[in-house]
Amino acid sequence: MARNKTDELHDEVGAMPDESDDSMASTVPPTESEPATADTGGIRADDVPGGHDAEALLPEDQSERFNVRWEEIQSSFVDKPQEAVEQADALVVDLMQRVTGGFSTERERLEGQWARGEDVSTEDLRVALTRYRSFFDRLLST
């Protein structure tokens, strides 16, 4: 069976994490010395882009592999422009799948807790909303 560009990129960049992989889990600490304020909906300044602790969308090692791969693709444009564009498309598709996969895993975790009748802490919900806000702001800022 023929392999597509996304499969080839998975080999180069690494497999997507599964639900048991904590590498996509939120890294926002549950408490900070700076209190949340009412006018921000409980979201602290350091939780959003531009703040000093804006959360990475991927683990550092995966981000580095994506950056290296992008540089290779960009360098190949002069000799093989069509192939470079095809590879860039596949790389962006792979990147978006990884980012959205992290959000989907977190949403499924929260929905599972709700389905079992478990309470989800306000802090867990604040962290989830903060991640969505950060991602939303990054998409609109480019």
Side-chain angles (χ1 to χ4, degrees):
M1 180 169 82
R3 293 170 47 90
N4 63 31
K5 296 283 185 192
T6 302
D7 291 335
E8 292 171 9
L9 284 170
H10 284 204
D11 291 343
E12 293 175 19
V13 178
M16 287 183 61
D18 63 11
E19 290 183 20
S20 63
D21 185 359
D22 289 341
S23 66
M24 295 295 292
S26 174
T27 59
V28 176
T31 60
E32 294 283 342
S33 58
E34 177 185 342
T37 58
D39 62 332
T40 63
I43 298 173
R44 295 181 296 265
D46 61 345
D47 292 335
V48 294
H52 63 275
D53 283 339
E55 180 180 353
L57 297 174
L58 292 174
E60 188 175 332
D61 64 325
Q62 286 186 23
S63 292
E64 179 61 28
R65 287 191 301 250
F66 274 102
N67 281 322
V68 166
R69 184 64 187 125
W70 179 259
E71 290 172 14
E72 292 169 351
I73 291 168
Q74 194 168 345
S75 295
S76 73
F77 181 80
V78 172
D79 295 326
K80 299 177 183 178
Q82 182 177 345
E83 186 177 312
V85 170
E86 291 169 350
Q87 291 176 353
D89 177 69
L91 185 66
V92 169
V93 167
D94 188 24
L95 176 60
M96 293 306 298
Q97 288 174 341
R98 288 168 190 261
V99 170
T100 58
F103 284 102
S104 294
T105 298
E106 179 63 16
R107 184 192 70 242
E108 290 168 4
R109 185 186 68 79
L110 293 171
E111 288 174 346
Q113 285 180 272
W114 290 324
R116 292 186 300 272
E118 298 174 7
D119 286 332
V120 177
S121 75
T122 302
E123 181 61 17
D124 285 346
L125 296 173
R126 184 193 70 79
V127 168
L129 185 61
T130 299
R131 291 187 74 221
Y132 280 111
R133 179 178 175 187
S134 175
F135 183 58
F136 180 81
D137 287 346
R138 289 178 199 189
L139 288 174
L140 293 179
S141 70
T142 52

